[in-house]
Amino acid sequence: ARLTLPYAIWSNTDAIHTRHLTATLACLGGAVHLHLSHLARARKPDAAYYRAGLAALGARPEEVLFIDD
C-alpha cells in the first residue's frame, strides 16, 4: 500500500549508512524526504536539527506528526 500523505524519515546517521538506508527505503515507493543528521550538521534532540528539517519540508511544527523510537 502507498501512503497518500507526504512523509519523511529523519535519522541520526552517518554517510556510511546512508547508501544502505536509501536502498532499503526504495521499497516504500514514491518520494520520501530524508533528513539526515550528518547532512543537517545537527542531531536529534538538538532544536537546530528540527528547525532544519521543518525548513526542508516547508512545514510548520503544527503541521507535522513526529514519531520516534
Side-chain angles (χ1 to χ4, degrees):
R2 288 181 168 243
L3 295 175
T4 57
L5 298 172
Y7 59 99
I9 295 176
W10 295 14
S11 179
N12 283 341
T13 192
D14 56 35
I16 294 170
H17 294 102
T18 298
R19 190 174 315 130
H20 173 71
L21 181 63
T22 55
T24 302
L25 294 175
C27 70
L28 294 176
V32 60
H33 171 79
L34 294 177
H35 182 58
L36 307 174
S37 58
H38 73 283
L39 298 176
R41 299 194 174 163
R43 297 178 62 82
K44 296 181 285 179
D46 186 351
Y49 180 82
Y50 298 101
R51 284 192 298 270
L54 291 169
L57 291 172
R60 296 185 314 266
E62 63 271 17
E63 299 173 321
V64 174
L65 171 63
F66 181 78
I67 302 170
D68 201 2
D69 57 356

